[in-house]
PDB file of all heavy atoms in Angstrom:
ATOM      1  N   THR G 200     -15.829   3.295  -6.711  1.00  0.00           N
ATOM      2  CA  THR G 200     -16.576   2.041  -6.649  1.00  0.00           C
ATOM      3  C   THR G 200     -15.701   0.802  -6.818  1.00  0.00           C
ATOM      4  O   THR G 200     -16.221  -0.306  -6.910  1.00  0.00           O
ATOM      5  CB  THR G 200     -17.663   2.029  -7.745  1.00  0.00           C
ATOM      6  OG1 THR G 200     -17.019   2.141  -9.030  1.00  0.00           O
ATOM      7  CG2 THR G 200     -18.652   3.166  -7.543  1.00  0.00           C
ATOM      8  N   GLU G 201     -14.403   0.993  -6.855  1.00  0.00           N
ATOM      9  CA  GLU G 201     -13.508  -0.156  -7.044  1.00  0.00           C
ATOM     10  C   GLU G 201     -12.183   0.096  -6.338  1.00  0.00           C
ATOM     11  O   GLU G 201     -11.698   1.224  -6.305  1.00  0.00           O
ATOM     12  CB  GLU G 201     -13.278  -0.368  -8.540  1.00  0.00           C
ATOM     13  CG  GLU G 201     -12.465  -1.600  -8.869  1.00  0.00           C
ATOM     14  CD  GLU G 201     -12.434  -1.858 -10.375  1.00  0.00           C
ATOM     15  OE1 GLU G 201     -13.516  -1.954 -10.987  1.00  0.00           O
ATOM     16  OE2 GLU G 201     -11.313  -1.960 -10.916  1.00  0.00           O
ATOM     17  N   MET G 202     -11.606  -0.985  -5.807  1.00  0.00           N
ATOM     18  CA  MET G 202     -10.269  -0.938  -5.214  1.00  0.00           C
ATOM     19  C   MET G 202      -9.396  -1.950  -5.946  1.00  0.00           C
ATOM     20  O   MET G 202      -9.859  -3.037  -6.282  1.00  0.00           O
ATOM     21  CB  MET G 202     -10.313  -1.272  -3.716  1.00  0.00           C
ATOM     22  CG  MET G 202     -11.032  -0.243  -2.895  1.00  0.00           C
ATOM     23  SD  MET G 202     -10.829  -0.447  -1.102  1.00  0.00           S
ATOM     24  CE  MET G 202     -11.683  -1.970  -0.811  1.00  0.00           C
ATOM     25  N   ARG G 203      -8.140  -1.579  -6.138  1.00  0.00           N
ATOM     26  CA  ARG G 203      -7.166  -2.464  -6.784  1.00  0.00           C
ATOM     27  C   ARG G 203      -5.881  -2.431  -5.968  1.00  0.00           C
ATOM     28  O   ARG G 203      -5.610  -1.473  -5.251  1.00  0.00           O
ATOM     29  CB  ARG G 203      -6.860  -1.999  -8.209  1.00  0.00           C
ATOM     30  CG  ARG G 203      -8.067  -1.950  -9.110  1.00  0.00           C
ATOM     31  CD  ARG G 203      -7.703  -1.422 -10.470  1.00  0.00           C
ATOM     32  NE  ARG G 203      -8.907  -1.175 -11.259  1.00  0.00           N
ATOM     33  CZ  ARG G 203      -8.895  -0.633 -12.464  1.00  0.00           C
ATOM     34  NH1 ARG G 203      -7.739  -0.286 -13.032  1.00  0.00           N
ATOM     35  NH2 ARG G 203     -10.021  -0.430 -13.119  1.00  0.00           N
ATOM     36  N   LEU G 204      -5.077  -3.460  -6.117  1.00  0.00           N
ATOM     37  CA  LEU G 204      -3.785  -3.517  -5.441  1.00  0.00           C
ATOM     38  C   LEU G 204      -2.896  -4.533  -6.122  1.00  0.00           C
ATOM     39  O   LEU G 204      -3.361  -5.355  -6.900  1.00  0.00           O
ATOM     40  CB  LEU G 204      -3.950  -3.862  -3.958  1.00  0.00           C
ATOM     41  CG  LEU G 204      -4.624  -5.200  -3.614  1.00  0.00           C
ATOM     42  CD1 LEU G 204      -3.607  -6.331  -3.512  1.00  0.00           C
ATOM     43  CD2 LEU G 204      -5.374  -5.065  -2.316  1.00  0.00           C
ATOM     44  N   HIS G 205      -1.623  -4.455  -5.811  1.00  0.00           N
ATOM     45  CA  HIS G 205      -0.653  -5.487  -6.187  1.00  0.00           C
ATOM     46  C   HIS G 205      -0.220  -6.163  -4.900  1.00  0.00           C
ATOM     47  O   HIS G 205      -0.104  -5.504  -3.865  1.00  0.00           O
ATOM     48  CB  HIS G 205       0.588  -4.878  -6.857  1.00  0.00           C
ATOM     49  CG  HIS G 205       0.347  -4.386  -8.239  1.00  0.00           C
ATOM     50  ND1 HIS G 205      -0.103  -3.117  -8.501  1.00  0.00           N
ATOM     51  CD2 HIS G 205       0.500  -4.999  -9.434  1.00  0.00           C
ATOM     52  CE1 HIS G 205      -0.219  -2.961  -9.810  1.00  0.00           C
ATOM     53  NE2 HIS G 205       0.143  -4.085 -10.400  1.00  0.00           N
ATOM     54  N   ASN G 206       0.016  -7.464  -4.961  1.00  0.00           N
ATOM     55  CA  ASN G 206       0.649  -8.126  -3.826  1.00  0.00           C
ATOM     56  C   ASN G 206       1.702  -9.099  -4.337  1.00  0.00           C
ATOM     57  O   ASN G 206       1.620  -9.560  -5.473  1.00  0.00           O
ATOM     58  CB  ASN G 206      -0.367  -8.819  -2.897  1.00  0.00           C
ATOM     59  CG  ASN G 206      -0.968 -10.069  -3.473  1.00  0.00           C
ATOM     60  OD1 ASN G 206      -1.947  -9.996  -4.206  1.00  0.00           O
ATOM     61  ND2 ASN G 206      -0.396 -11.209  -3.141  1.00  0.00           N
ATOM     62  N   VAL G 207       2.690  -9.335  -3.508  1.00  0.00           N
ATOM     63  CA  VAL G 207       3.795 -10.203  -3.892  1.00  0.00           C
ATOM     64  C   VAL G 207       3.321 -11.656  -3.855  1.00  0.00           C
ATOM     65  O   VAL G 207       2.787 -12.132  -2.853  1.00  0.00           O
ATOM     66  CB  VAL G 207       5.006  -9.989  -2.954  1.00  0.00           C
ATOM     67  CG1 VAL G 207       6.117 -10.973  -3.274  1.00  0.00           C
ATOM     68  CG2 VAL G 207       5.502  -8.554  -3.086  1.00  0.00           C
ATOM     69  N   GLU G 208       3.529 -12.320  -4.969  1.00  0.00           N
ATOM     70  CA  GLU G 208       3.122 -13.713  -5.104  1.00  0.00           C
ATOM     71  C   GLU G 208       3.902 -14.599  -4.130  1.00  0.00           C
ATOM     72  O   GLU G 208       5.070 -14.360  -3.852  1.00  0.00           O
ATOM     73  CB  GLU G 208       3.389 -14.184  -6.537  1.00  0.00           C
ATOM     74  CG  GLU G 208       2.884 -15.574  -6.816  1.00  0.00           C
ATOM     75  CD  GLU G 208       3.065 -15.968  -8.278  1.00  0.00           C
ATOM     76  OE1 GLU G 208       3.486 -15.135  -9.087  1.00  0.00           O
ATOM     77  OE2 GLU G 208       2.796 -17.135  -8.579  1.00  0.00           O
ATOM     78  N   GLY G 209       3.226 -15.609  -3.608  1.00  0.00           N
ATOM     79  CA  GLY G 209       3.876 -16.586  -2.749  1.00  0.00           C
ATOM     80  C   GLY G 209       4.038 -16.161  -1.300  1.00  0.00           C
ATOM     81  O   GLY G 209       4.730 -16.820  -0.535  1.00  0.00           O
ATOM     82  N   THR G 210       3.411 -15.065  -0.905  1.00  0.00           N
ATOM     83  CA  THR G 210       3.486 -14.629   0.487  1.00  0.00           C
ATOM     84  C   THR G 210       2.167 -14.927   1.186  1.00  0.00           C
ATOM     85  O   THR G 210       1.160 -15.241   0.551  1.00  0.00           O
ATOM     86  CB  THR G 210       3.770 -13.121   0.593  1.00  0.00           C
ATOM     87  OG1 THR G 210       2.660 -12.405   0.055  1.00  0.00           O
ATOM     88  CG2 THR G 210       5.041 -12.739  -0.147  1.00  0.00           C
ATOM     89  N   ALA G 211       2.163 -14.792   2.486  1.00  0.00           N
ATOM     90  CA  ALA G 211       0.946 -15.022   3.266  1.00  0.00           C
ATOM     91  C   ALA G 211      -0.126 -13.981   2.978  1.00  0.00           C
ATOM     92  O   ALA G 211      -1.285 -14.164   3.330  1.00  0.00           O
ATOM     93  CB  ALA G 211       1.283 -15.020   4.752  1.00  0.00           C
TER      94      ALA G 211
END
Side-chain angles (χ1 to χ4, degrees):
T200 60
E201 185 172 305
M202 293 191 293
R203 301 177 189 176
L204 60 89
H205 287 88
N206 73 275
V207 175
E208 185 175 355
T210 65

